[in-house]
Amino acid sequence: MAIKGDIRRRFEQWVSNPHCEANTISAVFNVPMRKVVKVEPHDSSDEMPFGQSPFALARGNMFERSLFRDNAKRLIDALHEVDQLEKVPTVQFWDCRQKGSGGGEARLKRCLTDTRRVLSEIIAGGVAKTHIIAGATILIPGRAMLPDSYLIIDALIIKPTRIENPHFEAIVVEVKTYTDRAGYTDGGSLAQARAQAGVYVYGLQVALQEWGIQAAYRVSNQGVLILTKPGSNRPAVRAGEDLKYQADRARLGFERLRSISQKYCALEDDKRQVDEDGTLREIVEAPIAYCESCLTFCDRAQICHRRLRDAGAAAILGDDVARFLGRVSMPRSFELMDGAAPQNEAESDFQSRYLNLMPRRSRA
């Protein structure tokens, strides 16, 4: 579930279109595009509000809380059903959640401290137990996003490995409320859930290293998705989800974001406050790189679409058409297709590729 202070949503926003500088500034500084839309001139028909339904958010919050009620009994029972927990005498539950998510902590920094303490206490306690941590909070170092790069993991399973090094295996658990329909579960939804879990795998690897306890833990590249069973709010467990590619994607993404954030602010000033008005102006004036995916996540997509349409840009017809036309505008492409003489190398290349696609009779 999305939690205030968690940068996962912003990371996914950036990944959806990393080539757009306006989108990058919005994600790095946490200035939503819906605010940008309100301060720039546009037609009211261009507005495309995104965001989850309050009813969906409420249902998700209730579902997640039900999993962790009574020391996570419902979650533990569901994991036992699919043999994700060994038949140990006890499974110890640790709650590091914020108050707004059903936990006991008011501040995110305190959740971070609690998570580090719990992981250290697990090491000190030996390998007699399996553990579940709710709301494990970590911090990505290097100021990839401002002001801080917190990640809140829905749940962690910590299992003894029964070997000397590492002593424990950490498995990321991602909770979603959509229905598990076995082989008919929506592929896009599953891909999104895996992508989000992969961010946590990478973040946990970095956090353990930052805290100096990486030798005791192996972060699994296989995660667990908790969905709902059809027609109910009972958990359906999908174990063994491969997250390696998504964790690698997150690593590369955060490396890129660290270099980008340095472009916009002096990172040595840890107390820097984001000037939202100034950032809004930067986003409005920043270069855009419109693509098909913008229509799925960005409140500003229709505004950019209209501006590119007025400019005759091919991007409004889709990514494939934009790649085919390259630097040639749509009006000019029509002229070249009608036989106009190319005026530069780009136009010549386009006309040649277009003619190669045409049947010989049409060319004659």
Side-chain angles (χ1 to χ4, degrees):
M1 301 301 296
I3 303 172
K4 186 176 181 181
D6 189 348
I7 63 159
R8 186 192 69 188
R9 174 192 56 79
R10 292 160 58 194
F11 180 79
E12 293 301 324
Q13 173 191 337
W14 176 73
V15 167
S16 295
N17 187 354
H19 305 293
C20 178
E21 188 168 345
N23 183 54
T24 298
I25 300 172
S26 168
V28 168
F29 285 96
N30 195 24
V31 177
M33 283 297 187
R34 65 176 180 274
K35 291 187 177 181
V36 179
V37 171
K38 292 179 180 178
V39 300
E40 64 178 327
H42 67 281
D43 191 302
S44 60
S45 62
D46 288 335
E47 295 186 16
M48 288 182 62
F50 284 89
Q52 283 184 282
S53 154
F55 301 104
L57 290 171
R59 184 197 170 203
N61 209 10
M62 289 174 60
F63 176 59
E64 189 170 301
R65 290 186 185 212
S66 73
L67 294 175
F68 299 127
R69 195 173 296 128
D70 299 326
N71 290 322
K73 182 180 185 305
R74 175 177 275 194
L75 176 59
I76 290 171
D77 289 345
L79 291 170
H80 272 307
E81 287 180 8
V82 294
D83 298 323
Q84 278 300 291
L85 295 179
E86 296 181 15
K87 302 298 183 182
V88 293
T90 58
V91 176
Q92 184 157 354
F93 175 65
W94 306 82
D95 195 347
C96 297
R97 293 175 296 166
Q98 286 183 283
K99 284 184 177 179
S101 301
E105 297 296 344
R107 300 177 60 209
L108 207 53
K109 283 187 177 180
R110 182 62 186 172
C111 295
L112 178 69
T113 302
D114 283 353
T115 300
R116 183 174 183 176
R117 172 184 57 80
V118 165
L119 289 169
S120 298
E121 287 187 15
I122 289 173
I123 298 171
V127 295
K129 294 179 180 179
T130 295
H131 306 262
I132 289 180
I133 307 173
T137 302
I138 54 181
L139 182 66
I140 302 291
R143 301 291 299 279
M145 289 188 177
L146 303 172
D148 290 302
S149 302
Y150 285 103
L151 289 170
I152 300 99
I153 305 171
D154 291 338
L156 276 179
I157 301 172
I158 307 294
K159 291 182 177 181
T161 61
R162 309 301 181 188
I163 59 176
E164 186 171 342
N165 189 23
H167 296 300
F168 300 95
E169 181 179 43
I171 301 171
V172 168
V173 178
E174 174 71 6
V175 179
K176 295 293 182 186
T177 53
Y178 54 78
T179 302
D180 182 20
R181 303 183 185 278
Y184 297 96
T185 309
D186 181 70
S189 297
L190 286 175
Q192 183 182 44
R194 293 188 194 106
Q196 293 167 352
V199 172
Y200 294 147
V201 169
Y202 164 73
L204 186 59
Q205 291 169 342
V206 172
L208 292 172
Q209 187 167 5
E210 186 79 3
W211 294 337
I213 54 176
Q214 73 275 15
Y217 289 97
R218 177 179 68 232
V219 182
S220 176
N221 282 319
Q222 292 194 331
V224 175
L225 303 183
I226 306 293
L227 310 181
T228 58
K229 292 185 177 180
S232 76
N233 254 6
R234 295 171 58 205
V237 180
R238 294 177 62 100
E241 296 286 342
D242 188 358
L243 306 178
K244 186 179 186 306
Y245 166 77
Q246 300 296 352
D248 288 342
R249 182 198 71 150
R251 175 181 58 80
L252 294 171
F254 277 108
E255 287 175 1
R256 174 66 179 139
L257 281 168
R258 287 188 191 98
S259 64
I260 290 171
S261 64
Q262 293 176 20
K263 176 181 176 180
Y264 296 107
C265 68
L267 294 185
E268 66 273 7
D269 181 8
D270 289 337
K271 302 299 182 182
R272 181 186 189 277
Q273 297 296 315
V274 174
D275 174 10
E276 187 168 289
D277 290 340
T279 305
L280 285 169
R281 289 193 297 273
E282 282 188 69
I283 296 172
V284 170
E285 296 169 1
I288 63 169
Y290 177 86
C291 63
E292 290 177 13
S293 66
C294 295
L295 291 168
T296 67
F297 78 95
C298 185
D299 295 270
R300 204 178 174 211
Q302 289 286 31
I303 297 174
C304 297
H305 185 280
R306 176 174 52 80
R307 290 175 180 171
L308 291 176
R309 180 197 65 201
D310 294 343
I316 64 169
L317 296 180
D319 296 344
D320 290 338
V321 175
R323 280 191 290 269
F324 189 77
L325 266 64
R327 291 180 289 140
V328 179
S329 69
M330 282 196 299
R332 182 57 179 161
S333 71
F334 297 147
E335 295 173 0
L336 293 168
M337 286 188 285
D338 284 337
Q343 297 178 352
N344 53 48
E345 186 177 348
E347 291 185 359
S348 178
D349 177 67
F350 165 75
Q351 191 176 63
S352 175
R353 286 184 286 113
Y354 168 74
L355 291 174
N356 284 335
L357 291 175
M358 295 297 101
R360 291 186 180 276
R361 184 179 299 175
S362 298
R363 282 187 253 174

